[in-house]
Amino acid sequence: MSVLDIVLWPDARLTETCVQVEEITQEIRTLAQDMLDTMYAAKGRGLAASQVGSLRRLFVMDIGWNEGKSDPLVCINPMLQEIGEERTVLEEGCLSIPGVLAEVNRPAQVQMVWSSLEGGRYVQSFDGFGAACVQHEIDHLDGIVTFDHLEADTRAALIAQYEAAQ
Ligand code: ZN
């Protein structure tokens, strides 16, 4: 078990577009396990590779582990499909922006396609918190954080709150 350092906003690595994982090597398997360990240690429910400084299209999530319903997912090269019309606003935290909750407006339902560590291709629909979580993590792979979804005034206020807490 290795708990990695989490990259904190405004580190430039959080603005980078991550690259596709071409091959699932032992290094990728170790990275994924370390990311799960890091996420649990930080009491988070999702963590993208760029948040531990590795600019590859890979994230981990486990949205129910705090409620005793652990279901860890390792999502490699994830893509969103068939995004519906309905939108919803949920409060989102981020392990790279500790102490700040941002209200982010997103599609309420999404379908995600991804590869597992074993190489299998998966398709699953998500709604509620799960939909927000997968979109939040894929945002990280495209160099986007919650602040980037906000109106200028709200963004400035939350950044001031974040900076005051550091
Ligand atoms: Zn985040």
Side-chain angles (χ1 to χ4, degrees), residues 6-11 14 94-101 147 158-166:
I6 295 177
V7 171
L8 295 180
W9 192 89
D11 190 296
L14 296 172
C94 180
L95 293 177
S96 293
I97 314 176
V100 171
L101 289 174
F147 288 151
L158 282 187
I159 289 174
Q161 181 195 327
Y162 172 71
E163 286 173 344
Q166 298 310 298

Side-chain angles (χ1 to χ4, degrees), residues 37-58:
D37 294 340
T38 304
M39 179 185 77
Y40 292 130
K43 306 212 179 320
R45 297 195 275 188
L47 184 71
S50 53
Q51 292 181 275
V52 293
S54 176
L55 299 179
R56 281 172 289 189
R57 301 192 78 82
L58 155 71

